[in-house]
Amino acid sequence: MKKIIGVLMSILVVLSLIAGCAAPAEDPVVEAPAVEEPVAETKEPAEELPKVALMSMREMTQPADASTLEGVERLKNEMGLDVKIVVCLEVSEYYDQMQALCEEGYDVIYFVYDNFLEAAKELCVLYPETTFIGLWINLNGEEVAPNLKPVHFRSEQGSFMCGVVAALMSESKQVGFIGGGNNAGIKTMLAGYEAGIKYVDNGTELVVAWANTFDDPLKGQELASSMYERGVDVIYQAANQTGLGVFQAAQDAGKYAIGVDVDQSDLAPENIICSSLLDHGYATYDSIAAFINGNYNNSQVFYGVQEGMPVIAINEALVSADVIAEVEAVQELVAAGQIEIPTTTDTE
Amino acid sequence: MNKSWVQSLLRLLVAFAIGLIISSLFILAVGENPIVAYKALLEGAFANKLGVFTTLRWTVPYIIVGVAATVSFKAGLFNMGMEGCIYAGALAAGLLGTIPGLPPIIHVPLCIMGATLVGMIWMIVPAFLKAKYGTNEVIITWMQSYAMTLLCSFLVTEYFQRPEDITSAAQQVRTPFIEPSAALNPIIDPYKLNTSLYIAIALIVILYVFSKYTIMGYEHRMMGTSYDFSIYGGVKTRKMQFWALLISGGIAAIAGAAETLGVNGQYIHGFSTSMGPNGIMVALMGRLNPLGLAISSLFMGAIQSGARAMVRATEVSVYTMNIMISIIVICITADGLYEMLHIKKRQREGD
């Protein structure tokens, strides 16, 4: 009998604990309608606006992600569109989450990086009502489905321009490249950079090193330091976090470095002469806005100079007006399609 | 018998309550309303067709790994190496699955048998050392698990990488797709729940029959309960330990194979969301009982599926759910707590 009482008592304890848990949560409950109301308000004029979700494979903390968020912000400011951001940290989440978004009636699923591509390829057939737009997707002309739009960057263009700047700025006539990993995406940037150096054609030599990691600044710093010691005086990094070490080494050695993805010159204003831009924000805004404005089609898009996307940010405090004028001339030639930039190279 | 059921249920409730309360703090910390978050979790796990199927889809690997963990626990062994076996099994199945021109009736069993075999072979070293010299199996299996996970990643990057992936921007470590003849097909089409559900159910039934109705199962159980007694009773404990670890590894590998053949259609590195450690949790939550195992797997599956819905509905991270699961497992396995709450009889009374 005692035991039963004990059991009952413990149930009471548990229940009161649960009740205790509910109590502090009441405040947000009271607030919740206040938060919901503006949502309801924006919904009424927004009725023609599609439901858009953005899928990211990591927490949105990298420079490229910050740029993506700028694009999202711009969509909100200019079109009143709320983009739902879904972060999928685990490989097994990609398909699950994408399918759930389809089932929840999202009109557009915008995903960044091709980790999501397999899931999108399967699901775009099953859910023809949903439109899939993928950034960093190059289908090479493969026709998958009318509701899957591949979007990619002309990442060789910014690198080409940086190659021009590097060759013109280098005094020792030796420039470096540090890549985070020897894959096709980084190779394209190396190819552009190399072509830019060759385009200037003033006898500048290129030194290449691979860090084989995208998140080890110390490794980047070591590689860069040894390069600077060998006489290299400009290094272009395409290595994400690893590249932060390159900037550190440039500051220590008092030499030049080139940033990637976003304008990184604020990280080392005395050393970063320019940054090649892969403007995720521009691509995000432009491709989603095109859908909203009814200009959607499923053809492959490459964002670059021709599409009006800025591809290089020059640090005007360090680069002379002559060089800037030269780069602008090159940019016009690229825009006019008069310069063929290779997208791959045999240089290792 | 009845009382132990009430005890188990109460344990679960108390653990669940504490888990909910503590993870509420984390949810509050990111400025979300815990009740909204839990509601999203519950709805995501059960309220719609996709939710239910996703829950069941996750229940399957948890059941299989849970059975693997139970096999070793019942023999008094800790198999910490199941994660490695899962990856090994997945890779084996993924590679065998690419063989063209086999009928499904041969191909599917071939892949699963191959995976099982690889899982068992991988456990030979710790099992042998344990049986022969009494070496601590926890450390060896655990370290081997890391070795296997990295080995799989290495093997795929170096030798089996899908050719199309070499040209892509963000690289994933994965093999080519398996042949359709090797696939475990979905039970209802657009959803990922597949016929590996039947494998999981079969494994639970086998486990139940084995430990309840066979002599070997009795010996196996006795060895875990009292090692000395089982030696006295004439159980060949060393042989038993050896096979218990091997079979545990083999079954864990089936979970990997089921994921590859049924869900992903290829080996993708990182597909296992720490299923090995979670399998141990499932086995502990289910208190090494086949039915309890099924229920706790369903619970874990629901959490997996619900947590994702919660992520979609709120700003809460998936990791909050990991915190909750760990707290629940700690609470379930902490005997002292229940003595304090008078749910469980003091063990010291018998002394």
Side-chain angles (χ1 to χ4, degrees):
Chain A
M1 207 53 212
K2 253 185 191 173
K3 210 170 276 169
I4 294 173
I5 294 173
V7 167
L8 286 176
M9 285 293 281
S10 58
I11 292 177
L12 260 179
V13 170
V14 171
L15 287 179
S16 59
L17 279 174
I18 294 173
C21 139
E26 260 169 36
D27 284 6
V29 171
V30 177
E31 273 173 36
V35 178
E36 268 168 32
E37 257 172 304
V39 175
E41 270 174 17
T42 48
K43 249 180 197 168
E44 271 167 333
E47 239 169 356
E48 301 110 52
L49 278 183
K51 264 173 99 180
V52 181
L54 185 152
M55 298 185 76
S56 165
M57 60 161 191
R58 56 190 180 209
E59 297 286 358
M60 306 283 283
T61 50
Q62 304 284 343
D65 301 327
S67 169
T68 309
L69 288 177
E70 275 171 28
V72 169
E73 193 68 14
R74 211 175 135 200
L75 282 168
K76 187 170 171 59
N77 292 340
E78 293 180 16
M79 306 198 150
L81 179 76
D82 276 311
V83 177
K84 172 71 198 166
I85 293 171
V86 179
V87 176
C88 302
L89 297 173
E90 278 157 359
V91 173
S92 60
E93 283 185 83
Y94 299 163
Y95 188 95
D96 284 10
Q97 291 291 51
M98 198 176 266
Q99 186 171 25
L101 289 172
C102 295
E103 295 249 326
E104 282 173 8
Y106 277 86
D107 301 299
V108 178
I109 295 176
Y110 179 84
F111 56 96
V112 186
Y113 296 116
D114 60 0
N115 301 34
F116 296 103
L117 181 60
E118 296 306 330
K121 271 186 181 173
E122 271 182 58
L123 289 168
C124 65
V125 183
L126 296 173
Y127 297 90
E129 300 288 299
T130 312
T131 301
F132 298 79
I133 303 175
L135 183 60
W136 282 109
I137 305 296
N138 182 359
L139 291 178
N140 294 314
E142 179 195 348
E143 188 79 17
V144 179
N147 56 338
L148 175 63
K149 182 176 183 71
V151 175
H152 205 277
F153 290 111
R154 299 186 196 276
S155 43
E156 70 279 5
Q157 289 183 341
S159 300
F160 181 85
M161 240 72 93
C162 287
V164 173
V165 177
L168 293 172
M169 293 291 288
S170 171
E171 281 157 19
S172 63
K173 297 296 166 225
Q174 286 187 61
V175 297
F177 176 89
I178 293 180
N182 194 343
N183 65 41
I186 304 294
K187 262 289 180 53
T188 305
M189 301 173 102
L190 174 59
Y193 187 59
E194 193 183 22
I197 295 162
K198 276 197 191 129
Y199 178 82
V200 175
D201 197 21
N202 60 359
T204 305
E205 277 177 49
L206 173 65
V207 185
V208 179
W210 301 99
N212 292 322
T213 164
F214 282 93
D215 39 36
D216 185 357
L218 270 182
K219 180 115 187 244
Q221 191 174 355
E222 277 169 25
L223 283 173
S225 296
S226 73
M227 260 192 196
Y228 286 132
E229 271 165 32
R230 272 191 283 167
V232 170
D233 60 357
V234 183
I235 297 179
Y236 175 34
Q237 66 89 4
N240 212 345
Q241 302 283 315
T242 305
L244 299 178
V246 175
F247 299 152
Q248 186 62 44
Q251 282 174 319
D252 294 344
K255 304 269 174 71
Y256 292 140
I258 297 174
V260 74
D261 286 350
V262 294
D263 185 359
Q264 294 186 307
S265 59
D266 54 332
L267 293 174
E270 303 291 307
N271 307 84
I272 296 177
I273 49 176
C274 60
S275 306
S276 78
L277 301 181
L278 294 170
D279 201 330
H280 286 60
Y282 184 87
T284 305
Y285 174 82
D286 196 70
S287 49
I288 296 178
F291 179 88
I292 294 170
N293 296 332
N295 297 330
Y296 171 82
N297 57 45
N298 72 335
S299 57
Q300 173 88 45
V301 169
F302 286 99
Y303 282 105
V305 176
Q306 289 94 326
E307 286 71 26
M309 188 187 85
V311 296
I312 185 169
I314 296 179
N315 185 352
E316 288 174 6
L318 295 177
V319 180
S320 67
D322 296 349
V323 175
I324 293 177
E326 175 99 31
V327 171
E328 274 166 5
V330 170
Q331 180 158 335
E332 268 165 35
L333 287 176
V334 172
Q338 293 185 4
I339 300 177
E340 278 285 311
I341 306 173
T343 53
T344 188
T345 172
D346 294 329
T347 311
E348 290 285 325
Chain B
M1 210 47 211
N2 215 350
K3 258 178 203 162
S4 85
W5 268 109
V6 175
Q7 265 188 22
S8 300
L9 203 66
L10 275 176
R11 270 169 176 248
L12 210 64
L13 280 178
V14 173
F16 200 64
I18 297 175
L20 279 179
I21 292 165
I22 297 183
S23 39
S24 305
L25 298 179
F26 288 92
I27 296 174
L28 280 172
V30 293
E32 288 281 346
N33 181 349
I35 292 178
V36 173
Y38 292 140
K39 194 166 155 259
L41 187 134
L42 210 61
E43 281 178 359
F46 298 112
N48 53 47
K49 221 168 151 194
L50 178 74
V52 172
F53 279 104
T54 311
T55 300
L56 287 175
R57 166 251 178 284
W58 280 106
T59 308
V60 171
Y62 285 129
I63 289 180
I64 303 177
V65 186
V67 169
T70 308
V71 168
S72 65
F73 272 130
K74 281 212 171 177
L77 300 169
F78 258 94
N79 183 1
M80 297 293 289
M82 290 190 300
E83 184 88 351
C85 294
I86 292 168
Y87 274 105
L91 182 56
L95 294 178
L96 288 170
T98 53
I99 301 171
L102 290 176
I105 196 84
I106 298 174
H107 207 171
V108 173
L110 174 79
C111 293
I112 293 174
M113 299 294 255
T116 317
L117 204 64
V118 172
M120 287 173 82
I121 291 171
W122 188 242
M123 278 292 126
I124 283 184
V125 173
F128 174 76
L129 289 175
K130 176 75 190 176
K132 183 92 177 171
Y133 303 107
T135 325
N136 188 340
E137 79 284 358
V138 175
I139 308 282
I140 301 177
T141 51
W142 196 356
M143 292 304 120
Q144 264 198 325
S145 173
Y146 285 119
M148 183 42 107
T149 312
L150 293 171
L151 183 66
C152 286
S153 164
F154 167 78
L155 284 176
V156 176
T157 347
E158 287 295 310
Y159 304 109
F160 306 117
Q161 181 78 32
R162 186 166 158 246
E164 292 94 313
D165 283 351
I166 294 167
T167 56
S168 55
Q171 285 200 310
Q172 274 188 312
V173 177
R174 53 190 177 188
T175 60
F177 281 104
I178 57 169
E179 295 289 320
S181 57
L184 292 166
N185 292 319
I187 292 177
I188 290 179
D189 209 14
Y191 305 108
K192 284 283 183 185
L193 177 68
N194 54 69
T195 42
S196 59
L197 178 67
Y198 306 134
I199 299 178
I201 293 171
L203 278 172
I204 285 206
V205 172
I206 293 170
L207 177 71
Y208 180 76
V209 172
F210 172 76
S211 55
K212 196 107 187 181
Y213 297 109
T214 66
I215 296 170
M216 210 192 241
Y218 176 72
E219 290 178 349
H220 175 231
R221 212 168 60 216
M222 269 307 121
M223 190 173 68
T225 324
S226 169
Y227 188 70
D228 292 337
F229 173 74
S230 63
I231 293 179
Y232 182 75
V235 179
K236 287 177 180 144
T237 49
R238 305 200 149 193
K239 201 176 153 198
M240 203 64 127
Q241 283 180 329
F242 181 80
W243 284 106
L245 262 187
L246 244 63
I247 288 170
S248 169
I251 296 175
I254 295 179
E259 286 291 290
T260 299
L261 302 179
V263 179
N264 301 323
Q266 62 183 160
Y267 173 88
I268 305 179
H269 196 69
F271 74 92
S272 155
T273 49
S274 39
M275 253 174 228
N278 284 342
I280 292 176
M281 291 194 202
V282 165
L284 289 175
M285 273 201 273
R287 318 216 57 206
L288 309 185
N289 170 317
L291 186 66
L293 192 72
I295 294 170
S296 59
S297 301
L298 188 65
F299 169 73
M300 288 287 280
I303 294 264
Q304 278 281 350
S305 146
R308 280 148 206 222
M310 191 180 78
V311 170
R312 289 195 304 275
T314 65
E315 302 293 314
V316 182
S317 156
V318 181
Y319 293 144
T320 319
M321 283 304 100
N322 294 359
I323 296 172
M324 187 169 113
I325 293 170
S326 346
I327 294 165
I328 290 174
V329 173
I330 291 171
C331 293
I332 286 177
T333 47
D335 281 340
L337 181 72
Y338 302 96
E339 285 177 10
M340 208 171 72
L341 292 175
H342 298 285
I343 291 173
K344 187 174 178 242
K345 218 174 167 188
R346 263 177 206 283
Q347 273 173 340
R348 292 191 198 88
E349 274 175 25
D351 291 349

